[in-house]
Amino acid sequence: MAGFQDLLQFVFAGVTSGAIYALIALGFCVVHNTIGIVNFAQVDFVSLGGMFLFSGLYWSGLPMVVALPGAVAAVTVVGLAVERLGVRPARSQNHLVLIFLTIGISIILRGAMKLVWGKNRMAVPPLAGEEPFRIAGAAILPQAVAILIITALAIGLLVLFFRGTRLGLCMRAVASNQTAASVVGIPVGRVKAASFALAGGLGGLAGVLVTPITTLSYDVGVLLGLKGFAAAILGGFGSFPGAVLGGVVLGLLESLSAGYWSSAYKDVAAFVVLLLVLFVRPKGLLGK
């Protein structure tokens, strides 16, 4: 019985981490599908989400219900600014050049966060209470439940956005064929800006959800962002269902390897399995 409780505990922890990775992976996929590049500034959108949440709570004295959506909105604006001021003015539209450009933007954002918030580690209170729920003997924190519920709602809204709104349909059209979309009158430039804004919002949401269960610093999003990137590759880069599946699988691999092997090797185990999967299916689990 104790073994089953441990397994359940590891599964809960893995799915919680996987939900965070899925949000980050979705941000990578949104920009990739619209513009065709990997936006490495996505890792800093995660850090910014936590930083803006901290500022809203402690600098402005806002309640959590206001500070959290405010932080997500602020990172959405940063994502829009990254496209308008950093990517769009580029003279070259070569994908490799644009990828290196996002790496430079990432370094600038990290430096700006270090100047504004400093290098000290910070913390924010949990979104929910601290008394754990008991499910079949396993303990699950209210924070983890909040992460799963909010992530599920965000994914549901994202599906509705792409299927039921004009902007979402335009983004799908640009992702399918940018030239044809431009010919029929779709404002490709605005759609690209919207993709960065949406990626910023998804990264910011991941940041505000993960911050209460980890320490906060200007570079906290780097490792999380890389894991989100790995989740996107594992699921099939550019596939939204693949991003969600890849995030959950990666989270479970980390949690189970940490529980049954060693926490020191949880990252190694997850990335080794990622490589093995890509050897068999180079396009990922759901890639086409």
Side-chain angles (χ1 to χ4, degrees), residues 29 32-33 229-243 245-246 274-288:
C29 291
H32 175 267
N33 287 355
F229 181 54
I233 295 174
L234 178 61
F237 207 72
S239 167
F240 288 169
L245 177 62
L274 169 65
L275 290 175
L276 292 176
V277 170
L278 293 180
F279 284 148
V280 178
R281 286 186 60 85
K283 293 186 179 297
L285 295 173
L286 300 182
K288 296 179 180 180

Side-chain angles (χ1 to χ4, degrees), residues 23 42 45 71-73 75-77 79 195-207:
L23 287 174
Q42 186 70 26
F45 294 160
V72 175
V75 186
T76 301
V77 173
S195 71
F196 267 86
L198 182 56
L202 290 167
L205 180 59

Side-chain angles (χ1 to χ4, degrees), residues 99-262:
I99 289 172
F100 277 107
L101 187 59
T102 65
I103 294 174
I105 293 170
S106 173
I107 295 171
I108 292 171
L109 289 175
R110 217 166 303 149
M113 282 187 280
K114 190 189 299 185
L115 288 173
V116 175
W117 286 281
K119 295 186 288 184
N120 295 329
R121 293 194 172 271
M122 300 168 283
V124 300
L127 301 180
E130 298 182 8
E131 185 68 26
F133 299 109
R134 293 285 174 179
I135 301 177
I140 178 170
L141 293 171
Q143 173 70 25
V145 176
I147 288 174
L148 295 176
I149 292 174
I150 294 174
T151 300
L153 287 174
I155 293 173
L157 290 174
L158 196 64
V159 171
L160 292 176
F161 171 76
F162 279 110
R163 291 184 177 179
T165 68
R166 180 180 177 84
L167 178 58
L169 293 172
C170 287
M171 292 178 72
R172 291 174 63 187
V174 172
S176 177
N177 191 319
Q178 183 172 317
T179 303
S182 179
V183 168
V184 299
I186 293 176
V188 174
R190 292 181 184 178
V191 171
K192 289 181 178 180
S195 71
F196 267 86
L198 182 56
L202 290 167
L205 180 59
V208 299
L209 291 179
V210 77
T211 295
I213 60 175
T214 185
T215 55
L216 175 62
S217 67
Y218 71 96
D219 60 350
V220 70
V222 175
L223 183 57
L224 288 170
L226 289 177
K227 289 180 179 179
F229 181 54
I233 295 174
L234 178 61
F237 207 72
S239 167
F240 288 169
V244 177
L245 177 62
V248 173
V249 169
L250 193 65
L252 287 172
L253 286 173
E254 280 190 355
S255 180
L256 293 173
S257 60
Y260 291 110
W261 186 16
S262 170

